Amino acid sequence: EAQVTQNPRYLITVTGKKLTVTCSQNMNHEYMSWYRQDPGLGLRQIYYSMNVEVTDKGDVPEGYKVSRKEKRNFPLILESPSPNQTSLYFCASSPLDRANTGELFFGEGSRLTVL
Amino acid sequence: LAKTTQPISMDSYEGQEVNITCSHNNIATNDYITWYQQFPSQGPRFIIQGYKTKVTNEVASLFIPADRKSSTLSLPRVSLSDTAVYYCLPLTGTGANNLFFGTGTRLTVIP
């Protein structure tokens, strides 16, 4: 089944404890991206990647890192999480030509709470 | 940068047509506007996209006026299962670089 898989789906952690949210897609998509969703603010892009080893900042990259060593994986790294990073996170992927029209395939989301 | 605004919420009775409008600054002539639907505990799901006039698929229609300062998602004869949050995504001239979603419209369908 074609899908975008995120792990963990739910996580409660404490300030400063490094964590990684994984994202994997099995559709051979070039484009992958991360978003956070907060009440009243909608979806805001954190980072995106056009292909392997090509990443760039989105609208709200502060406090996050990403890597794209393989085409299928695009992990989101929080080196030192803070409470303001408590949010619902979504990973999305797409063939590059469809991403350039705004068509994305989203994962199911990862709800992160930082205490 | 296209500043995008949508109504925060809308209510509708079953069987009615619902129109959700997204307002955005002028975007380039060939830039796409895409709409997504999101149910609780799920990721957004693509509904429809277009860049001019009218597009229709099995789920919805999308109307884009000539000035392209807005777009309207039209859901015909809504049912309870259409209760969801709807997001518009107007592209800003740089393709998939820097995607800025609208803040979403929560549609509640009432029996």
Side-chain angles (χ1 to χ4, degrees), chain A residues 2-76:
Chain A
Q3 57 187 0
V4 179
T5 304
Q6 298 179 222
N7 278 297
R9 294 289 311 279
Y10 302 92
L11 178 64
I12 300 174
T13 188
V14 295
T15 298
K17 185 176 182 182
K18 180 180 177 179
L19 68 92
T20 299
V21 185
T22 64
C23 175
S24 180
Q25 50 92 6
N26 61 1
M27 298 169 280
N28 202 37
H29 289 167
E30 297 89 3
Y31 182 88
M32 297 186 75
S33 55
W34 276 103
Y35 302 82
R36 60 177 291 171
Q37 185 173 49
D38 302 289
L41 297 177
L43 290 154
R44 293 181 293 166
Q45 190 180 55
I46 303 171
Y47 269 94
Y48 61 94
S49 169
M50 295 293 195
N51 214 323
V52 175
E53 301 292 1
V54 181
T55 65
D56 211 341
K57 297 177 181 179
D59 191 29
V60 288
E62 296 79 17
Y64 305 95
K65 289 173 58 176
V66 293
S67 69
R68 188 89 184 274
K69 293 183 171 56
E70 307 164 281
K71 198 171 189 179
R72 63 183 293 126
N73 295 322
F74 190 45
L76 179 69

Side-chain angles (χ1 to χ4, degrees), chain B residues 37-99:
Chain B
Q37 177 190 55
Q38 185 180 25
F39 297 116
S41 302
Q42 294 186 23
R45 182 176 69 101
F46 172 93
I47 303 176
I48 195 168
Q49 72 178 185
Y51 65 92
K52 65 178 181 180
T53 59
K54 177 183 175 182
V55 177
T56 296
N57 62 20
E58 64 278 6
V59 176
S61 294
L62 176 60
F63 298 92
I64 303 170
D67 67 8
R68 294 173 57 76
K69 292 183 178 180
S70 66
S71 61
T72 298
L73 173 72
S74 181
L75 304 172
R77 299 179 299 283
V78 294
S79 64
L80 296 178
S81 63
D82 292 316
T83 294
V85 179
Y86 293 83
Y87 291 95
C88 69
L89 173 61
L91 295 193
T92 58
T94 58
N97 298 339
N98 300 115
L99 299 178

Side-chain angles (χ1 to χ4, degrees), chain B residues 17-53:
Chain B
E17 178 184 80
V18 171
N19 296 310
I20 305 174
T21 296
C22 176
S23 298
H24 34 75
N25 298 345
N26 281 345
I27 60 176
T29 302
N30 294 320
D31 267 347
Y32 278 83
I33 300 163
T34 306
W35 283 81
Y36 287 83
Q37 177 190 55
Q38 185 180 25
F39 297 116
S41 302
Q42 294 186 23
R45 182 176 69 101
F46 172 93
I47 303 176
I48 195 168
Q49 72 178 185
Y51 65 92
K52 65 178 181 180
T53 59

